[in-house]
């Protein structure tokens, strides 16, 4: 049984796919996501996990992932104040996509 599709449905899915791919294609983005899946939450933890990423680039990628709804930024009231990033539910869904990429690369 086939579902009736709204006009432009394929085009809309293609647009959404390109948008998601555009987010992931940024240099270091996938590495930052892996680090987050493995527990990194603070800037220096991401920097240590990812490696040679310039601090300015890391800051920019974290903002992009936050704006895309993948990471949530939270300021912790401490001395000194610190910022932590956690995966949103949408961000956690990306793990299946990255796992699929790993399986594809091994095929």
């Amino acid at each position: 049984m086939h579902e009736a599709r709204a006009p432009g449905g394929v085009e809309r899915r293609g647009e959404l796919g390109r948008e998601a791919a555009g987010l992931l294609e940024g240099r270091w983005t996938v590495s930052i996501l892996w680090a987050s899946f493995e527990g990194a939450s603070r800037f220096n933890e991401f920097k240590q996990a990812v490696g040679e990423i310039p601090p300015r680039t890391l800051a920019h990628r974290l903002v992009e992932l936050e704006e895309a709804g993948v990471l949530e930024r939270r300021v912790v009231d401490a001395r000194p104040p610190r910022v932590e990033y956690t995966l949103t539910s949408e961000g956690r869904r990306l793990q299946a996509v990255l796992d699929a990429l790993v399986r594809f690369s091994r095929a």
Side-chain angles (χ1 to χ4, degrees), residues 79-98:
R79 295 282 182 236
R82 66 178 188 265
V83 174
E84 293 182 346
Y85 295 89
T86 56
L87 288 162
T88 63
S89 59
E90 292 298 312
R92 285 188 298 276
R93 289 177 53 206
L94 281 172
Q95 187 163 9
V97 174
L98 297 181

Side-chain angles (χ1 to χ4, degrees), residues 20-41 45-47 49-50 53 58 61-62 64-66 68-72 85-99 101:
L23 175 66
L24 295 176
E25 76 181 1
R27 186 166 184 197
W28 305 106
T29 301
V30 171
S31 297
I32 292 167
L33 287 172
W34 276 121
S36 187
F37 296 146
E38 293 177 359
S41 65
E45 292 172 346
F46 284 107
K47 182 141 179 46
V50 174
I53 185 170
L58 175 56
R61 292 294 179 265
L62 290 170
E64 287 178 339
L65 290 167
E66 180 187 3
V70 173
L71 291 177
E72 180 180 16
Y85 295 89
T86 56
L87 288 162
T88 63
S89 59
E90 292 298 312
R92 285 188 298 276
R93 289 177 53 206
L94 281 172
Q95 187 163 9
V97 174
L98 297 181
D99 287 341
L101 287 172

